[in-house]
Amino acid sequence: MMTALNNEQPIALKEWAVSVKALAEGKQIIVMRKGGIIEETRDFQLISPNFYFMPAYEHQKKHLLKEQYADDMDETLADWSSEMETIKLESYAEVVQDIEITDQETLDRLRDLHIWTDTFAEERLRWKRTKPLHVLLLRVYRLAAPIEIPMRAAYNGCKSWVRLEDEFTAPERTPVLEAKEFDAEVQKIKQALA
């Protein structure tokens, strides 16, 4: 049974469920990371160039989303419970670029290219002030069929990465955006940061 393309134990990045939804719907191609509170390395490190998304529900805050995305958060919470025994993985990503941002002016140039408010972006940048904010440009894929795995204690807590403990067959994947659309989104980000 294959667990990942390279036969290694697959990795998942924990990310707000509403962000995972936006990525899977092509509404954005970036995530912003500084690391979880209990991160082993005390800051964010890109430990895998490709990974599954593990939706996280506990720390989502509606007031940190732009108004047009607030209802998306409600959708993600509709079937969620803190007592859930399984979790569904429905998307996968490949990192195209890891951009480190250290100043507010640069971060502000990305404001129209994600679902979060300026407050959210500013808080991410200011937290652990001496560390850069990682903006990951991602090629996102929808899985042909969701992977449903047991919710394990090791997956809980404020951390970015989890190693998936259960074996599963890696399903086929379809890019969320066609190559031309994706390249256009990458160009928007590069132009914004130029």
Side-chain angles (χ1 to χ4, degrees), residues 48-148:
S48 178
N50 45 54
F51 47 83
Y52 292 92
F53 278 111
M54 180 175 284
Y57 300 87
E58 296 89 343
H59 301 297
Q60 298 186 110
K61 292 184 174 54
K62 197 179 273 195
H63 72 277
L64 295 177
L65 296 170
K66 291 174 183 163
E67 190 175 335
Q68 64 267 37
Y69 302 107
D71 290 343
D72 288 351
M73 191 178 113
D74 293 335
E75 282 181 43
T76 70
L77 293 170
D79 298 321
W80 176 77
S81 156
S82 59
E83 282 84 43
M84 288 172 58
E85 294 182 5
T86 61
I87 189 160
K88 280 186 187 173
L89 310 179
E90 301 182 84
S91 49
Y92 185 87
E94 296 170 349
V95 178
V96 174
Q97 192 170 354
D98 178 1
I99 301 167
E100 294 186 359
I101 294 180
T102 56
D103 64 282
Q104 189 64 50
E105 183 183 340
T106 303
L107 182 59
D108 287 347
R109 290 189 220 133
L110 296 176
R111 83 167 28 106
D112 296 330
L113 301 172
H114 58 74
I115 66 170
W116 304 292
T117 62
D118 286 347
T119 302
F120 173 90
E122 288 165 17
E123 285 177 4
R124 283 277 165 113
L125 180 64
R126 283 196 312 255
W127 191 61
K128 296 185 180 182
R129 192 177 298 270
T130 61
K131 305 291 183 186
L133 178 67
H134 292 260
V135 175
L136 303 181
L137 268 65
L138 304 172
R139 185 78 197 264
V140 180
Y141 299 83
R142 280 187 213 93
L143 303 183
I147 300 166
E148 193 158 355

Side-chain angles (χ1 to χ4, degrees), residues 113 121 156 165 174:
L113 301 172
N156 292 323
E165 297 179 6
T174 305

Side-chain angles (χ1 to χ4, degrees), residues 26-43:
K27 294 176 182 173
Q28 67 182 34
I29 63 167
I30 62 173
V31 293
M32 298 179 193
R33 302 305 296 220
K34 267 273 182 107
I37 294 169
I38 59 170
E39 216 68 74
E40 288 176 20
T41 58
R42 310 297 283 161
D43 62 340

